[in-house]
Amino acid sequence: MDIRPRDTDSDWRRRAYSVIFESDTPAGRAFDIAVLVAIVLSVVAVMLESVQRINQQFGAVLRAVEWFFTGLFLLEYIARLVVVRRPLTYAFSLLGIIDFMAIVPTLATLVLAGSRYLLVIRTLRLLRVFRIFKLGRFVGEGEFIVTALKASRFKILVFLTAVLTLVTVVGTLLYVVEGGQNGFTSIPKSIYWAVVTVTTVGYGDISPVTVLGQTLASILMILGYAIIAVPTGIVSAQMASPRATAAPTYKQVICHVCQATDHRPEADYCWRCGEKL
Amino acid sequence: MDIRPRDTDSDWRRRAYSVIFESDTPAGRAFDIAVLVAIVLSVVAVMLESVQRINQQFGAVLRAVEWFFTGLFLLEYIARLVVVRRPLTYAFSLLGIIDFMAIVPTLATLVLAGSRYLLVIRTLRLLRVFRIFKLGRFVGEGEFIVTALKASRFKILVFLTAVLTLVTVVGTLLYVVEGGQNGFTSIPKSIYWAVVTVTTVGYGDISPVTVLGQTLASILMILGYAIIAVPTGIVSAQMASPRATAAPTYKQVICHVCQATDHRPEADYCWRCGEKL
Amino acid sequence: MDIRPRDTDSDWRRRAYSVIFESDTPAGRAFDIAVLVAIVLSVVAVMLESVQRINQQFGAVLRAVEWFFTGLFLLEYIARLVVVRRPLTYAFSLLGIIDFMAIVPTLATLVLAGSRYLLVIRTLRLLRVFRIFKLGRFVGEGEFIVTALKASRFKILVFLTAVLTLVTVVGTLLYVVEGGQNGFTSIPKSIYWAVVTVTTVGYGDISPVTVLGQTLASILMILGYAIIAVPTGIVSAQMASPRATAAPTYKQVICHVCQATDHRPEADYCWRCGEKL
Amino acid sequence: MDIRPRDTDSDWRRRAYSVIFESDTPAGRAFDIAVLVAIVLSVVAVMLESVQRINQQFGAVLRAVEWFFTGLFLLEYIARLVVVRRPLTYAFSLLGIIDFMAIVPTLATLVLAGSRYLLVIRTLRLLRVFRIFKLGRFVGEGEFIVTALKASRFKILVFLTAVLTLVTVVGTLLYVVEGGQNGFTSIPKSIYWAVVTVTTVGYGDISPVTVLGQTLASILMILGYAIIAVPTGIVSAQMASPRATAAPTYKQVICHVCQATDHRPEADYCWRCGEKL
């Protein structure tokens, strides 16, 4: 649903909306960048607070910073609610919920001490960064990547299912072969190991010890090594394909006799009924 | 050999076959999805049973679930045998054997306690997932990947042979250079290490300690890093090649009036002069 | 600003400049290669000095070598200052500063013992290697890579931002899930872990222990595994694009006699009929 | 130099040469495959001998197998020497030396016990595998990969130099930042660590501990992650490029008037001076 103020709404509201929610005016862009800077600073403060040594020395300052930014974000959240046409639609949209969750944890610490952990949600506001990318050169580039990924989404899904089946089967096999005493204590843990291996991460927290286990692991690794060619090939081919750049392969005309579409660009006659286009 | 019922077979049998073995009718699709869900649930139950803590608490329930699904799969297996034209052909086909092996381990636990380990085979039934992919959008995408891989299979084989020779030579070299006291206790183990390294997995369970060993390992790593470009390049090039997208994009016919070619595959009339093809 | 000597400058200066700063004459090329060899030798000496065992035996020799090369580089630096039109412009350019920093650490050891560590800066002079690449076959190839990377720089920036947001969010999540007792002692350290994981490096110095942590890590790994397809796809597509190889492959002119097109860019005569274009 | 027998040589010699050195006759192919099988079997025997437990039980048998194959390879080597036109040319060619080195280590054990380690050289004979690839379908595919790699060799060299400079600079930096107590005991070892990291192998035998070190390592990892796109892009683009398939872009003729080259394949007239080619 459209949350933009109506054209009949007061002028200040339409202007405030464009500043807060849009970023194609200088003021709107400045607002977005200011919010972005505030998010980064507040996230950095949360990060530093998590470092024990820093927390012991500057804990009070960092908590003050936390409250300051929470206040700012609260004001921003209220402004957003006031300015939109349908406050509830915004409040229950994904971005609206993230905006809300960025405030709650700090407030909740008044009641519940451990709730600070929920501050992790504020980090998600960093995703707003992509909003600002809508401007200037980044539009095309970002969209290019997203389009290529979208066009490949079925291929990637098929690929992911194949990988998941592979790690399930190989993980279970190594659970049977290696057993608990070598770290493969359960099938889920063995599947975790298979994921660590097939993606070539290889922590080494669990690794096969028996000869059969190492042989199976070697096969899995070489498979994983070869398999990575598939998503890369998919995305590369998608990005390199002329369709990725030029869309209309077919003439945008419908035969007035048989309603056939998808004519060749140079076609003068319908391919289905032979009628002149 | 064809296992489909003959056209002269009774109606219910032909219908049952289409439900159980095919998936282009709504009923067939529903059956496939039901089997898929049952496989996933039974595999999840086996997985949970392998987690010691869960096994101690819910072991009885999980074993009941295991027997329930084994019963279901037994019924399904019998139904498959009854419905096909040649039961033996099905029973000894790859999918038939996997279907059979998915039932046996649970039954075998009555005689032999340790046989539960063979339940790993049931996970292979997950491969049935790809059967269902035959439907809808996934056909083309799955086939696209398989076609690209098939077309590159000789290149990939050459590549794999080169990698295997490389890991054998480098693995043996490091066995000589590092020796047993640094973890390289035998040539097969050193080859395992070389595979772990060249695929960039790098567990770290074995790693070179001497200067010469680390130098050789560095060269192997950079080679492995560069080598990964080869399978990726092969698959990318294959997928990006115009042949990969669609072989017969155009009808292989020339208009006898205007000699125009490149007609759409379904075209009945020439797109240039409107003549019947 | 142009630092080349004026055309009205003395002849020896213009010649010295071409030898020291340029590499398209035999003398200039020889000078560049000599400097390159000196850099490599001096860097190797610094490296060997850092190996304790070698330092104990050959420390005196290596320090002598260090002083010898420092003297050479000092002479070279002075020559560069003398020869250019604007010494200050050179002295404050990036390459000028690196050249200067390659001398200072050794001299500074006279005053401050620990300053040898700054010798690391000399390694940066290796970047001069790329100057010499300007010659012969390497020009085109090096430029090809740089051009492809430049053309993709916005796409790569968008990609990097996405990766950074991902590691921040997932790193924070694992800090909350795993906590300090499993090695995730602070959010920055958890983000370091997320980078180690998403790039598939996987040291294993920190790795998740809890079931939830391992599940999240598995998702991150598969994401990282799929994500690597994006930069690869971007660069591959860029390099494969016809614009990357050569924009105006053919002269945009049609022969007025035989209507032939596709002439070479420098062609003055039609390749088919020999008519002047 | 040509080592093939002269046309005037005796018939049996020419036939023996074609069997032993070539593989385009059925007999030649059979000989090559027999040698290949013998190499694989003898290498497997050497591998098994390196496994302590197997060595204790079957040591005598394996050593007998070793002597048997050494005898075979000796006969083969002599046959090769007899059959060629210039025995010395063969003996000092790369393949000739490898063939010779595959025999020596076993013989040398009679004099020197430890010389068995040199058996590693026999593994190099596996490279002969590629000779057989010359047959059938593999010719084209193998050549395709080699051609693509050759065409990219300058790009790959530039890329490797960049990577080597990067690991030298970053390795030295981490030596300074982390120091010996965290495992970075010398600059060469730190460079080894940088290679392990930038190639995303990540053993974890050495890993940064300080905050600054981990930050620098993170940057290196993300660089390494992005950098892998370059060789992949190079090879993909090379393989996908139409030139990879069709070579002669230009007519191999020089204008006898103006010495211009690089004429279009169909050109009848020089593009520079208009003279008939």
Side-chain angles (χ1 to χ4, degrees):
Chain A
M1 267 184 294
D2 199 357
I3 59 169
R4 276 177 300 180
R6 279 180 208 78
D7 288 354
T8 55
D9 272 348
S10 60
D11 202 49
W12 72 264
R13 202 182 180 183
R14 295 224 312 276
R15 219 151 30 193
Y17 179 88
S18 104
V19 168
I20 296 176
F21 277 90
E22 287 166 0
S23 38
D24 31 22
T25 58
R29 199 180 181 177
F31 182 85
D32 268 11
I33 289 173
V35 167
L36 190 66
V37 169
I39 294 170
V40 168
L41 286 179
S42 77
V43 167
V44 166
V46 173
M47 280 184 193
L48 291 178
E49 215 186 324
S50 78
V51 184
Q52 215 156 8
R53 228 176 33 198
I54 296 176
N55 195 10
Q56 279 164 357
Q57 269 200 287
F58 306 100
V61 181
L62 288 170
R63 256 180 299 277
V65 169
E66 197 184 312
W67 277 102
F68 170 72
F69 280 117
T70 303
L72 268 188
F73 291 150
L74 184 60
L75 287 180
E76 184 212 342
Y77 185 66
I78 293 168
R80 283 179 190 270
L81 280 178
V82 168
V83 125
V84 295
R85 197 204 297 186
R86 294 192 184 80
L88 282 182
T89 305
Y90 161 70
F92 289 102
S93 70
L94 183 66
L95 280 176
I97 292 170
I98 291 176
D99 288 352
F100 179 69
M101 298 294 263
I103 313 161
V104 165
T106 320
L107 300 176
T109 50
L110 296 177
V111 192
L112 205 75
S115 67
R116 176 168 296 120
Y117 286 156
L118 290 166
L119 273 172
V120 60
I121 291 149
R122 189 176 287 171
T123 359
L124 285 175
R125 291 202 79 196
L126 280 175
L127 295 172
R128 238 166 230 285
V129 175
F130 291 107
R131 281 268 325 273
I132 300 183
F133 281 162
K134 275 211 190 142
L135 290 164
R137 279 215 58 146
F138 287 97
V139 190
E141 308 298 359
E143 257 166 35
F144 178 77
I145 293 177
V146 171
T147 306
L149 288 180
K150 255 192 193 159
S152 323
R153 71 183 176 289
F154 282 101
K155 286 194 202 71
I156 288 173
L157 218 65
V158 170
F159 168 74
L160 277 184
T161 317
V163 168
L164 286 182
T165 309
L166 181 71
V167 295
T168 308
V169 172
V170 177
T172 313
L173 268 174
L174 261 107
Y175 168 68
V176 173
V177 168
E178 292 279 334
Q181 72 277 15
N182 295 335
F184 295 77
T185 50
S186 68
I187 293 183
K189 197 155 209 168
S190 302
I191 291 176
Y192 160 73
W193 167 84
V195 171
V196 169
T197 299
V198 90
T199 56
T200 79
V201 171
Y203 287 132
D205 50 351
I206 312 168
S207 59
V209 176
T210 64
V211 172
L212 184 55
Q214 293 185 339
T215 310
L216 286 170
S218 298
I219 295 169
L220 181 64
M221 283 173 223
I222 289 181
L223 272 178
Y225 191 57
I227 278 172
I228 209 174
V230 174
T232 309
I234 291 169
V235 177
S236 297
Q238 191 60 44
M239 286 184 170
S241 94
R243 276 174 308 172
T245 0
T249 323
Y250 293 120
K251 202 167 188 170
Q252 296 301 326
V253 77
I254 300 169
C255 173
H256 63 275
V257 171
C258 71
Q259 259 71 43
T261 55
D262 293 357
H263 303 280
R264 296 189 27 128
E266 328 88 312
D268 292 328
Y269 293 93
C270 174
W271 55 267
R272 203 198 279 151
C273 67
E275 185 65 32
K276 193 147 184 16
L277 291 175
Chain B
M1 268 184 294
D2 199 357
I3 59 169
R4 277 178 298 181
R6 280 178 207 81
D7 288 355
T8 54
D9 271 349
S10 60
D11 202 50
W12 72 262
R13 202 180 181 184
R14 296 223 313 276
R15 220 155 26 197
Y17 179 88
S18 103
V19 169
I20 298 177
F21 277 90
E22 287 167 359
S23 38
D24 31 21
T25 58
R29 198 178 182 179
F31 182 84
D32 268 10
I33 290 173
V35 168
L36 190 67
V37 169
I39 294 170
V40 168
L41 287 179
S42 78
V43 167
V44 166
V46 173
M47 281 183 192
L48 291 178
E49 215 185 323
S50 77
V51 184
Q52 214 155 10
R53 228 178 31 200
I54 296 176
N55 195 9
Q56 279 163 358
Q57 268 200 287
F58 305 101
V61 181
L62 289 170
R63 257 180 300 275
V65 169
E66 197 183 312
W67 277 103
F68 171 72
F69 280 117
T70 304
L72 267 188
F73 291 150
L74 184 62
L75 287 180
E76 184 211 343
Y77 185 67
I78 292 169
R80 283 178 191 270
L81 279 178
V82 168
V83 124
V84 294
R85 196 203 299 185
R86 294 191 186 81
L88 283 181
T89 307
Y90 161 70
F92 290 101
S93 71
L94 184 66
L95 280 177
I97 292 169
I98 291 177
D99 288 353
F100 179 69
M101 298 295 263
I103 312 162
V104 165
T106 321
L107 300 177
T109 50
L110 296 177
V111 192
L112 205 76
S115 68
R116 176 167 297 119
Y117 285 157
L118 290 165
L119 274 172
V120 60
I121 291 149
R122 189 177 287 171
T123 357
L124 285 175
R125 292 201 80 196
L126 279 175
L127 295 171
R128 238 165 231 286
V129 175
F130 290 106
R131 282 268 324 274
I132 299 183
F133 281 162
K134 276 213 192 140
L135 289 163
R137 279 216 58 148
F138 288 98
V139 191
E141 308 298 359
E143 257 166 36
F144 177 77
I145 293 177
V146 171
T147 306
L149 288 180
K150 256 193 194 158
S152 322
R153 72 183 176 287
F154 283 100
K155 287 194 202 71
I156 289 173
L157 216 66
V158 170
F159 169 74
L160 276 184
T161 316
V163 168
L164 286 182
T165 310
L166 181 70
V167 295
T168 308
V169 172
V170 177
T172 313
L173 267 173
L174 262 106
Y175 168 68
V176 174
V177 168
E178 292 279 333
Q181 71 278 13
N182 295 334
F184 294 77
T185 50
S186 68
I187 294 183
K189 197 156 209 168
S190 301
I191 291 175
Y192 161 73
W193 166 85
V195 171
V196 169
T197 299
V198 91
T199 56
T200 79
V201 171
Y203 286 132
D205 50 351
I206 313 168
S207 60
V209 177
T210 64
V211 172
L212 183 55
Q214 292 184 339
T215 310
L216 286 170
S218 299
I219 294 169
L220 181 64
M221 282 172 225
I222 290 182
L223 272 177
Y225 191 56
I227 277 173
I228 209 174
V230 175
T232 310
I234 291 168
V235 177
S236 298
Q238 191 60 45
M239 285 184 171
S241 93
R243 278 172 306 171
T245 349
T249 321
Y250 294 121
K251 203 166 186 168
Q252 296 300 328
V253 78
I254 301 168
C255 175
H256 63 274
V257 171
C258 71
Q259 258 71 41
T261 55
D262 293 358
H263 303 281
R264 296 191 26 130
E266 329 87 315
D268 292 328
Y269 292 93
C270 174
W271 55 267
R272 202 198 281 150
C273 67
E275 184 65 30
K276 192 145 183 23
L277 291 175
Chain C
M1 267 184 294
D2 199 357
I3 60 169
R4 275 177 299 179
R6 280 179 207 80
D7 288 353
T8 55
D9 271 349
S10 60
D11 201 50
W12 72 263
R13 201 181 180 183
R14 295 225 311 278
R15 220 151 29 190
Y17 179 88
S18 104
V19 169
I20 297 176
F21 277 90
E22 287 167 359
S23 39
D24 31 22
T25 58
R29 199 180 181 178
F31 182 85
D32 268 11
I33 289 173
V35 168
L36 189 66
V37 169
I39 295 170
V40 168
L41 286 179
S42 78
V43 166
V44 166
V46 173
M47 280 185 192
L48 290 178
E49 215 186 324
S50 76
V51 184
Q52 216 157 8
R53 227 176 32 195
I54 296 175
N55 195 10
Q56 280 164 357
Q57 270 200 284
F58 307 100
V61 182
L62 289 170
R63 256 180 300 276
V65 169
E66 197 184 312
W67 277 102
F68 170 73
F69 281 117
T70 303
L72 267 188
F73 292 151
L74 183 61
L75 288 180
E76 183 211 343
Y77 185 66
I78 293 169
R80 283 179 190 270
L81 281 179
V82 168
V83 124
V84 295
R85 196 202 299 185
R86 295 192 184 80
L88 283 182
T89 306
Y90 161 69
F92 290 102
S93 70
L94 183 65
L95 280 177
I97 292 168
I98 291 177
D99 288 352
F100 179 68
M101 299 294 263
I103 312 161
V104 165
T106 320
L107 301 177
T109 50
L110 297 177
V111 192
L112 205 75
S115 67
R116 176 167 296 120
Y117 286 157
L118 290 166
L119 274 172
V120 59
I121 291 148
R122 188 177 288 169
T123 359
L124 285 174
R125 291 201 81 195
L126 280 175
L127 295 171
R128 237 166 231 285
V129 176
F130 291 108
R131 280 270 323 276
I132 300 184
F133 281 162
K134 274 207 191 145
L135 289 162
R137 278 214 61 143
F138 287 98
V139 191
E141 309 297 359
E143 257 167 34
F144 177 78
I145 293 177
V146 171
T147 305
L149 288 180
K150 256 193 193 158
S152 323
R153 70 184 177 288
F154 282 101
K155 286 194 202 73
I156 288 173
L157 217 66
V158 170
F159 169 74
L160 276 184
T161 316
V163 168
L164 286 181
T165 310
L166 181 70
V167 295
T168 308
V169 171
V170 176
T172 313
L173 267 173
L174 261 106
Y175 169 68
V176 174
V177 168
E178 292 279 333
Q181 71 277 14
N182 295 334
F184 294 78
T185 49
S186 68
I187 294 183
K189 196 155 209 168
S190 301
I191 291 176
Y192 161 73
W193 167 84
V195 171
V196 169
T197 299
V198 90
T199 57
T200 78
V201 171
Y203 287 133
D205 50 350
I206 314 167
S207 60
V209 177
T210 65
V211 172
L212 184 54
Q214 292 185 339
T215 309
L216 286 170
S218 298
I219 295 169
L220 181 64
M221 283 172 225
I222 289 181
L223 273 177
Y225 191 57
I227 278 172
I228 209 174
V230 175
T232 310
I234 291 169
V235 176
S236 297
Q238 191 60 44
M239 286 184 171
S241 93
R243 275 172 307 172
T245 353
T249 320
Y250 292 122
K251 203 167 188 170
Q252 296 299 328
V253 77
I254 300 168
C255 174
H256 63 275
V257 171
C258 71
Q259 259 70 43
T261 56
D262 293 357
H263 303 281
R264 297 191 24 133
E266 328 88 312
D268 292 328
Y269 293 92
C270 173
W271 55 266
R272 202 198 281 152
C273 67
E275 185 65 29
K276 193 147 184 21
L277 291 175
Chain D
M1 267 185 294
D2 199 357
I3 60 168
R4 276 178 298 179
R6 280 180 206 81
D7 287 355
T8 55
D9 272 348
S10 60
D11 202 51
W12 72 263
R13 202 180 180 182
R14 295 223 313 276
R15 223 158 20 200
Y17 179 88
S18 103
V19 168
I20 298 177
F21 278 90
E22 287 168 358
S23 37
D24 30 22
T25 58
R29 199 181 181 176
F31 182 84
D32 269 12
I33 289 173
V35 168
L36 190 67
V37 169
I39 295 171
V40 168
L41 286 179
S42 77
V43 167
V44 166
V46 173
M47 281 184 191
L48 291 178
E49 215 186 324
S50 77
V51 183
Q52 216 157 8
R53 227 176 32 198
I54 295 176
N55 195 9
Q56 279 163 357
Q57 270 201 284
F58 306 100
V61 181
L62 289 170
R63 255 180 300 278
V65 170
E66 197 183 312
W67 276 104
F68 170 73
F69 280 117
T70 304
L72 268 188
F73 291 151
L74 184 61
L75 288 180
E76 184 212 343
Y77 185 66
I78 292 169
R80 284 179 190 269
L81 280 179
V82 168
V83 126
V84 295
R85 196 202 300 185
R86 294 191 184 82
L88 283 182
T89 307
Y90 160 70
F92 290 101
S93 71
L94 183 64
L95 280 176
I97 291 169
I98 291 176
D99 289 352
F100 179 69
M101 300 294 264
I103 313 162
V104 166
T106 320
L107 300 177
T109 50
L110 296 177
V111 192
L112 205 75
S115 67
R116 177 167 297 121
Y117 286 157
L118 291 165
L119 274 173
V120 60
I121 290 149
R122 189 177 288 171
T123 359
L124 285 174
R125 292 201 80 194
L126 280 174
L127 295 171
R128 239 166 229 287
V129 176
F130 291 107
R131 281 269 323 274
I132 300 183
F133 281 163
K134 275 210 191 143
L135 289 162
R137 278 215 60 147
F138 288 98
V139 191
E141 308 298 359
E143 256 166 36
F144 177 78
I145 294 177
V146 171
T147 306
L149 288 179
K150 256 192 193 158
S152 323
R153 72 183 177 288
F154 283 100
K155 287 195 202 71
I156 289 173
L157 217 65
V158 170
F159 169 75
L160 276 184
T161 317
V163 168
L164 286 182
T165 310
L166 181 70
V167 295
T168 308
V169 171
V170 177
T172 313
L173 268 172
L174 262 107
Y175 168 68
V176 173
V177 167
E178 292 279 333
Q181 70 278 14
N182 295 334
F184 294 77
T185 49
S186 68
I187 293 182
K189 197 155 209 169
S190 303
I191 291 176
Y192 161 73
W193 167 85
V195 171
V196 170
T197 299
V198 90
T199 57
T200 78
V201 172
Y203 287 131
D205 50 349
I206 314 167
S207 59
V209 177
T210 65
V211 173
L212 183 54
Q214 292 185 339
T215 310
L216 285 170
S218 298
I219 295 169
L220 181 64
M221 282 172 226
I222 290 181
L223 272 177
Y225 192 57
I227 277 172
I228 210 175
V230 175
T232 309
I234 291 168
V235 177
S236 297
Q238 191 60 44
M239 286 183 170
S241 93
R243 275 176 307 173
T245 359
T249 322
Y250 293 120
K251 202 168 188 167
Q252 295 300 326
V253 79
I254 301 169
C255 174
H256 63 275
V257 171
C258 72
Q259 260 70 41
T261 55
D262 292 358
H263 304 280
R264 296 190 26 129
E266 329 88 313
D268 291 328
Y269 293 92
C270 175
W271 55 266
R272 202 197 280 149
C273 68
E275 185 66 32
K276 192 145 185 18
L277 291 175

